[in-house]
Amino acid sequence: MKLIIAVIQDKDVSRLSERLVKESIGATKLASTGGFLRAGNTTFLIGVQDEQVDHVLSLISQNCKARDQLVTPMSPLGNQVESYVSFPISVQIGGATVFVVTVDQFEQF
Ligand code: 2BA
């Protein structure tokens, strides 16, 4: 058995959720926050049999798309701690960041 941990942009969550429910694939959604952008995203925990992994990965890739987002990080100006200049940069947020890990044991009580 595998646990698929997928960090998904909020905009893609309902489409992916609907697809997983439609295919009777169990999933848990956790509200999460990206460490870089500090914006909300959603982390799916999806427990599946080994032979289902490729199918679930294809559902994720079909339902999640990469987007460019303008962000305005604050950068220090010179040596003056209180002076900052901000300039927008474009960051591409992937369709999904996915980890597949082996599950040693699975129980439901
Ligand atoms: P964030 O950490 O908010 O990152 C959003 C996007 O910002 C990233 O998209 C990447 O394109 C960019 N980015 C991240 N760190 C950067 C840096 N130090 N310098 C410049 N640009 C940077 P993705 O790579 O598609 O990641 C989307 C979200 O997936 C991340 O949101 C984070 O929540 C999660 N994630 C990405 N890599 C991860 C990892 N190795 N471990 C755990 N979660 C991860």
Side-chain angles (χ1 to χ4, degrees), residues 2-91:
K2 303 283 189 208
L3 178 64
I4 298 172
I5 303 168
V7 184
I8 306 292
Q9 290 183 64
D10 284 342
K11 287 175 184 160
D12 295 320
V13 166
S14 49
R15 206 164 29 159
L16 179 61
S17 297
E18 282 166 24
R19 197 61 204 275
L20 293 171
V21 169
K22 203 169 175 181
E23 304 222 6
S24 301
I25 296 167
T28 295
K29 291 188 287 178
L30 305 175
S32 45
T33 304
F36 182 65
L37 294 181
R38 294 176 202 171
N41 51 31
T42 298
T43 300
F44 282 73
L45 303 180
I46 309 168
V48 290
Q49 297 305 323
D50 289 13
E51 55 274 17
Q52 290 178 286
V53 169
D54 287 344
H55 179 56
V56 173
L57 292 181
S58 76
L59 290 181
I60 293 171
S61 85
Q62 284 161 23
N63 288 283
C64 304
K65 61 175 188 182
R67 295 182 181 85
D68 290 326
Q69 187 169 319
L70 277 180
V71 294
T72 314
M74 299 295 281
S75 308
L77 182 67
N79 293 328
Q80 295 166 311
V81 175
E82 57 289 337
S83 301
Y84 283 81
V85 63
S86 62
F87 49 92
I89 56 166
S90 179
V91 169

